[in-house]
Amino acid sequence: MRKLLFLFILIPQLVSGQWKAKIKTVDSVLAYLHSRKLFNGAVLIGENGKVIYKKALGIADTSGRPLSTYSAFNLASVSKQFFAMMIMMLKEQGKLEYDQTVQKYLESFPYTGITIRHLLNHTSGLPEYFTLAERHMTLVDTLDNEKMFAMLVKYKPAVVFQPGDKYEYCNTNYILLASVISKLAGMSCAEFFDQRIVRPLGLKNTYVYNLTMHSYPASRVFGFHYEKEKPVPDDLQQLDGIVGDGNIYSSVEDLYLWDQALYTSKLVKAETFKEAISSGKLNNDSLINYGFGWSVRKAGESTHSGGWVAFTTYIHRYYEKRQTYITLENSGNNWVHSIVRNILEGNPYHLPQTTLINNVVVIDGTGSTPRKENLRIVDDRIQDIGPLTPFAGETVINGEGQVLSPGFIDSHSHLYGSLDEKPEALAAISQGITTIVAGQDGSSDAIDSLKFQIAKRPPNVNVATYTGQGSLRDKIMKGDLSRAATQPEIDAMKKELASEMQKGSLGLSTGLEYEDAFYSTRDEVIALAKTAAEYNGRYISHIRSEDIHIENSIEEIIQIGRETKIPVQISHFKIAMRSRWGIAPDLLARLEAARTEGINITADVYPYRMWSSTPRVLFPKKDFTNTASAIFAVNNLIDPAESIITGFPSDKRFEGKSLIQIGNINQESADKALLRIISESERSKQHATIIGVSMYEPDIVNLLKWSHTNLCSDGGEGGHPRGYGAFTRMLGFYVRDQKIMPLETAINKMTALSAEHLGIKNRGILAQGYPADLVLFNPDQVRDNATIADPKALSSGISIVWVNGRIVYQDQKATPAFSGKFIGRQ
């Protein structure tokens, strides 16, 4: 984002006698940050017109030219205060009035009611110019103020709000102010700036520079960032023929001269400048804490910051003691500003911690070829990947030749419900999962509740969620779910869903085979999916049938994708009927045809022949007392000899036994045993659970290998062994032993592809700047150990797991890092 504004908490008055210790700390911190390539720039601290501390560390460009305190950095948004000053000068010359409309000075300006004051205060309602410019520029264009103004006139993008109704920081405002300056001054902004500010103040290394200029002073600093410990250019780009919102260059030395001049009347009268550092007001008289090019949080203090390409800048002033600190940086780092602030105000500060993981084979999640490299973490982010060397005193973890990959993303999980009591999330992290997605099968918690719980007791995994149709139905229809919803009820559900989408829901989930949603119409689902689509959400579904009506159910989700234009995903894709075994290629061909049509349909799969649910799902017609349906179920939908009742509160003797064994206990057939379990559960109002063996191994392999399938667990805390073993089973049994796909392809299906299917940004890939969700594992030893008899047995071969840069699992144990976060739709 262009020339970002960073607003910091204001610092209380500094005490002169404390300078010595504080300066010593600042100096030590700068040395630490620079030694870890986290600071490259200059800092100056002054009081009462005297420089108390100044220092420059690092290089001015990728050639290695050294910085000094006279080096001129791109000030990014700190430039705005200079353009505001030029407007104030024109005001004193009688050439403009703040409350006159912009149209008075720029006749073809296409908006009425926007004044100069609105531009100065960021209350104009104008949209940012970046999208407009990028939409209408070619790759060889360089944007300047004249071209930008012409685009604004020609296309007139809609205002975001009416002038004066809101405060919203917007760079377009100051580009227009630059055009006003040039028009009224009768010269370029660069010339006016030089004549009226630079020369009168004796500034030696301060000037306007942009890409329309053919040369630049020797003091100019270039932006860069580090890749593989080498500086890579990260400097001006094609938007940078513009002036107004940025592109003034200055040094810390000159900025301090500027700061001191603001206490005098060298530039404008004191009463004129006072308005610049006073909060503007909205139409309703509320304060906005922003003046003219300065942020204002309380009387006697003003500040501004900026960020553009690799430059980050900051200036903070305290008027009573005439104290100022200035930080300029050109390597894309933003650590120094807040740390210096906290040191000077006497508050605790955080030094970023770095960790180097070396001697690893990096599989980055993209499907690319594995490569031997090292990776560095800074706090919760990946800083660099490559042939990196340790910093002095840095934590180094020897990966011993193991694979380092992104943390696995479980796109269909039921673990969230246990995190309050077991925030260690051992089921997930022990198999390398760092992010779980809740709200599946149509059942979800409210996002406010979920966020509150995570904030109160953070778990060891990140959590994202869908909003469940079944939960919406239950709330709106008051539990009367064995019918279709009425239109008013659908409208109420749409409103509820819209609210959840605004709070970060990934989209809509359904469990159409389950009784809370089975009776909903396709139109109801489509109406809700369209609401999710309005917020760029997604749709994921446990389809209506995974057995008898599987083809019709797939056609339903295809139609939902077609009509709503929303990405749709089949949950835990399976073919759970013996007579349908072997049709996976046909179903995948149908999905590919839908994709060719433009429907973004995908799937997730868990790597087991057995599922886990309530035995009621074995009655597709919901005729739970029908003997014929029970016979059909045990002959076609499950293997009664291998399918195990895992939970039966009515009679604990049945738990852990197959339907055949339960039938033998009661001297009855497997179908009678199934009916008994259903009826006794109904009578006791305590649900039974079953692990049903229903799937065909070649189908599982085909579904796993489909290029648009990602892995999931569908697991929770115990029960089905998938809760503790799905991802390691994929790596061990299917990839290493069965060799159904290369390891890097499997990792992609567990990381980047999952993130893509979920709409989760900036996770699932090992890349610079991404959150440090990582897993270190031994590909020769990784395997799942969980079984039906021992569903919580930990996997082998998972060495270390990091969530947001902190180790949550090591030596077969969870750690109390609790570094998981809520991940909302972006």
Side-chain angles (χ1 to χ4, degrees):
M1 186 175 179
R2 172 92 166 160
K3 302 177 179 72
L4 299 173
L5 172 68
F6 303 108
L7 298 176
F8 293 107
I9 299 170
L10 299 184
I11 302 171
Q13 296 296 334
L14 302 174
V15 179
S16 296
Q18 297 176 340
W19 278 120
K20 186 175 181 180
K22 291 180 177 178
I23 292 305
K24 183 178 179 181
T25 303
V26 167
D27 195 64
S28 174
V29 164
L30 294 186
Y32 172 87
L33 293 175
H34 181 64
S35 73
R36 280 161 168 70
K37 301 190 186 304
L38 299 178
F39 172 67
N40 190 94
V43 173
L44 184 145
I45 302 170
E47 182 181 54
N48 291 321
K50 295 181 180 179
V51 175
I52 295 173
Y53 177 82
K54 61 180 180 180
K55 192 160 194 174
L57 289 171
I59 56 178
D61 55 39
T62 55
S63 74
R65 177 167 54 97
L67 286 173
S68 77
T69 56
Y70 296 97
S71 298
F73 292 71
N74 187 311
L75 297 184
S77 283
V78 172
S79 302
K80 288 180 173 68
Q81 61 196 247
F82 292 100
F83 287 93
M85 175 59 74
M86 288 186 270
I87 288 289
M88 287 185 277
M89 289 176 167
L90 292 171
K91 165 73 163 56
E92 286 195 344
Q93 292 173 15
K95 294 184 177 181
L96 62 74
E97 294 293 334
Y98 297 145
D99 296 314
Q100 284 286 353
T101 64
V102 176
Q103 286 180 325
K104 178 177 175 63
Y105 308 109
L106 303 173
E107 292 83 0
S108 57
F109 182 65
Y111 303 91
T112 59
I114 295 177
T115 66
I116 298 297
R117 187 184 300 277
H118 289 139
L119 300 182
L120 287 164
N121 285 158
H122 296 295
T123 57
S124 70
L126 289 169
E128 283 284 8
Y129 68 88
F130 316 126
T131 301
L132 178 66
E134 291 165 356
R135 183 174 297 166
H136 299 289
M137 291 172 63
T138 71
L139 293 177
V140 297
D141 289 334
T142 297
L143 187 67
D144 60 26
N145 291 59
E146 184 178 343
K147 292 176 182 176
M148 186 62 248
F149 187 76
M151 287 183 191
L152 211 58
V153 171
K154 181 176 181 179
Y155 300 106
K156 194 182 178 181
V159 294
V160 181
F161 52 85
Q162 291 304 304
D165 279 357
K166 289 176 60 179
Y167 164 83
E168 189 168 295
Y169 191 84
C170 176
N171 293 286
T172 309
N173 295 319
Y174 275 73
I175 291 173
L176 291 168
L177 289 174
S179 296
V180 171
I181 293 166
S182 179
K183 173 79 177 294
L184 299 184
M187 64 184 78
S188 70
C189 287
E191 292 172 312
F192 191 65
F193 178 61
D194 187 62
Q195 288 183 19
R196 300 301 304 271
I197 296 178
V198 173
R199 293 183 193 177
L201 298 185
L203 307 181
K204 304 299 183 184
N205 296 292
T206 301
Y207 41 84
V208 173
Y209 174 75
N210 63 35
L211 292 181
T212 67
M213 300 174 179
H214 300 296
S215 61
Y216 50 82
S219 63
R220 182 196 165 196
V221 171
F222 290 74
F224 69 90
H225 65 267
Y226 285 102
E227 290 182 11
K228 304 183 189 302
E229 296 188 342
K230 305 293 183 185
V232 176
D234 187 1
D235 202 63
L236 303 189
Q237 40 107 312
Q238 67 178 147
L239 298 179
D240 283 308
I242 286 283
V243 297
D245 60 339
N247 285 332
I248 285 180
Y249 284 69
S250 190
S251 66
V252 290
E253 301 271 5
D254 278 1
L255 283 174
Y256 192 55
L257 293 176
W258 156 258
D259 165 77
Q260 292 301 295
L262 298 178
Y263 291 107
T264 72
S265 298
K266 288 182 181 179
L267 300 176
V268 292
K269 297 174 184 176
E271 57 267 29
T272 301
F273 181 66
K274 183 178 180 180
E275 193 163 8
I277 55 175
S278 300
S279 176
K281 294 182 179 180
L282 298 179
N283 293 333
N284 62 6
D285 287 332
S286 61
L287 299 179
I288 62 172
N289 297 324
Y290 195 92
F292 298 167
W294 289 94
S295 174
V296 182
R297 287 302 178 97
K298 64 180 180 180
E301 297 182 13
S302 57
T303 182
H304 212 289
S305 61
W308 181 237
V309 289
F311 292 96
T312 58
T313 60
Y314 190 71
I315 180 170
H316 197 127
R317 310 181 71 226
Y318 314 87
Y319 301 122
E320 291 183 15
K321 292 275 181 120
R322 289 182 62 168
Q323 297 164 342
T324 300
Y325 78 89
I326 302 160
T327 59
L328 304 177
E329 223 277 354
N330 68 312
S331 68
N333 284 297
N334 194 37
W335 296 101
V336 66
H337 314 302
S338 60
I339 294 176
V340 169
R341 178 195 74 217
N342 283 320
I343 293 171
L344 296 183
E345 68 182 10
N347 286 338
Y349 61 90
H350 169 71
L351 275 182
Q353 300 301 303
T354 69
T355 299
L356 182 68
I357 307 170
N358 63 11
N359 189 20
V360 291
V361 175
V362 169
I363 299 181
D364 64 13
T366 66
S368 299
T369 304
R371 59 193 190 273
K372 292 183 178 181
E373 290 190 309
N374 302 333
L375 181 144
R376 175 168 284 120
I377 302 170
V378 177
D379 277 0
D380 64 345
R381 300 270 163 178
I382 298 170
Q383 186 200 37
D384 209 350
I385 304 173
L388 313 176
T389 55
F391 298 134
E394 181 175 36
T395 299
V396 178
I397 294 176
N398 185 347
E400 299 179 341
Q402 298 181 85
V403 167
L404 184 70
S405 80
F408 307 146
I409 299 173
D410 189 351
S411 64
H412 190 117
S413 171
H414 295 281
L415 186 64
Y416 174 71
S418 68
L419 293 184
D420 187 28
E421 293 184 1
K422 297 181 179 181
E424 297 82 6
L426 188 60
I429 61 177
S430 63
Q431 54 179 313
I433 296 168
T434 56
T435 297
I436 63 170
V437 181
Q440 301 293 355
D441 299 325
S443 177
S444 63
D445 290 319
I447 287 183
D448 283 344
S449 173
L450 189 149
K451 287 181 176 178
F452 175 80
Q453 186 59 41
I454 291 174
K456 184 179 75 172
R457 193 171 188 185
N460 268 341
V461 289
N462 302 310
V463 180
T465 189
Y466 282 89
T467 298
Q469 178 216 10
S471 295
L472 294 174
R473 296 186 100 238
D474 189 51
K475 180 175 182 179
I476 300 302
M477 298 171 67
K478 311 300 183 185
D480 181 17
L481 305 180
S482 298
R483 61 176 176 85
T486 64
Q487 189 58 52
E489 288 170 335
I490 292 173
D491 291 341
M493 284 189 274
K494 288 168 62 178
K495 184 177 180 181
E496 193 75 23
L497 176 59
S499 175
E500 292 294 280
M501 294 300 297
Q502 291 168 1
K503 295 172 183 176
S505 171
L506 297 178
L508 176 70
S509 84
T510 59
L512 298 176
E513 189 175 27
Y514 297 120
E515 292 164 64
D516 55 0
F518 180 80
Y519 298 97
S520 61
T521 66
R522 189 173 299 185
D523 282 348
E524 175 187 325
V525 178
I526 288 173
L528 292 172
K530 284 182 176 179
T531 297
E534 291 174 8
Y535 296 90
N536 296 315
R538 291 166 181 261
Y539 174 78
I540 190 168
S541 181
H542 178 132
I543 56 179
R544 286 192 195 266
S545 173
E546 298 171 326
D547 39 62
I548 296 176
H549 303 295
I550 187 168
E551 288 94 345
N552 287 339
S553 298
I554 286 174
E555 289 304 321
E556 179 178 41
I557 193 171
I558 288 173
Q559 183 185 358
I560 292 167
R562 180 185 294 116
E563 292 197 23
T564 63
K565 305 295 189 292
I566 193 174
V568 294
Q569 179 152 14
I570 300 171
S571 287
H572 43 60
F573 198 9
K574 66 175 72 74
I575 302 164
M577 183 174 173
R578 183 174 284 105
S579 63
R580 315 299 286 162
W581 286 355
I583 67 168
D586 298 329
L587 297 183
L588 294 175
R590 178 66 188 98
L591 298 185
E592 285 291 353
R595 291 185 62 84
T596 301
E597 183 186 335
I599 299 166
N600 184 0
I601 187 164
T602 59
D604 59 26
V605 179
Y606 55 78
Y608 292 89
R609 291 185 59 227
M610 51 201 182
W611 48 262
S612 178
S613 188
T614 166
R616 293 170 72 90
V617 300
L618 293 169
F619 292 78
K621 297 178 182 179
K622 311 306 177 191
D623 51 348
F624 304 114
T625 61
N626 189 322
T627 300
S629 293
I631 292 171
F632 180 84
V634 297
N635 288 334
N636 292 275
L637 303 185
I638 53 169
D639 182 338
E642 292 188 74
S643 299
I644 305 297
I645 295 297
T646 53
F648 193 57
S650 300
D651 192 336
K652 291 290 185 179
R653 294 179 304 150
F654 293 174
E655 292 184 352
K657 293 180 173 59
S658 72
L659 290 177
I660 294 289
Q661 290 171 322
I662 294 170
N664 290 338
I665 291 173
N666 294 289
Q667 297 182 338
E668 59 192 9
S669 60
D671 56 282
K672 296 295 184 183
L674 177 59
L675 289 170
R676 174 188 295 276
I677 289 166
I678 295 289
S679 64
E680 290 189 12
S681 295
E682 181 71 22
R683 185 168 54 254
S684 67
K685 300 187 184 304
Q686 294 178 304
H687 291 298
T689 56
I690 184 173
I691 291 180
V693 177
S694 295
M695 284 85 83
Y696 180 51
E697 192 66 33
D699 284 336
I700 295 172
V701 171
N702 276 314
L703 297 180
L704 286 171
K705 290 172 67 174
W706 188 43
S707 58
H708 303 291
T709 293
N710 66 266
L711 197 73
C712 73
S713 77
D714 193 21
E717 175 58 30
H720 194 301
R722 64 195 177 189
Y724 274 76
F727 284 74
T728 45
R729 179 172 175 79
M730 179 70 172
L731 294 173
F733 178 74
Y734 283 101
V735 175
R736 183 189 59 237
D737 300 340
Q738 300 296 316
K739 297 180 171 52
I740 71 167
M741 67 183 70
L743 179 57
E744 58 268 28
T745 302
I747 295 297
N748 170 255
K749 287 176 172 287
M750 299 157 74
T751 57
L753 191 64
S754 291
E756 178 186 334
H757 289 173
L758 296 163
I760 292 176
K761 308 295 184 184
N762 301 326
R763 291 187 193 262
I765 296 175
L766 299 186
Q768 193 173 45
Y770 273 52
D773 293 345
L774 314 169
V775 56
L776 180 70
F777 68 92
N778 187 325
D780 297 324
Q781 296 179 4
V782 66
R783 67 173 53 86
D784 64 306
N785 296 316
T787 63
I788 294 177
D790 188 6
K792 298 184 181 182
L794 298 182
S795 298
S796 305
I798 301 294
S799 300
I800 307 178
V801 179
W802 293 258
V803 171
N804 295 309
R806 300 189 64 186
I807 293 176
V808 297
Y809 184 77
Q810 189 173 21
D811 299 327
Q812 296 284 97
K813 296 177 183 177
T815 73
F818 303 124
S819 53
K821 300 178 180 180
F822 173 75
I823 300 177
R825 192 190 71 264
Q826 298 168 301

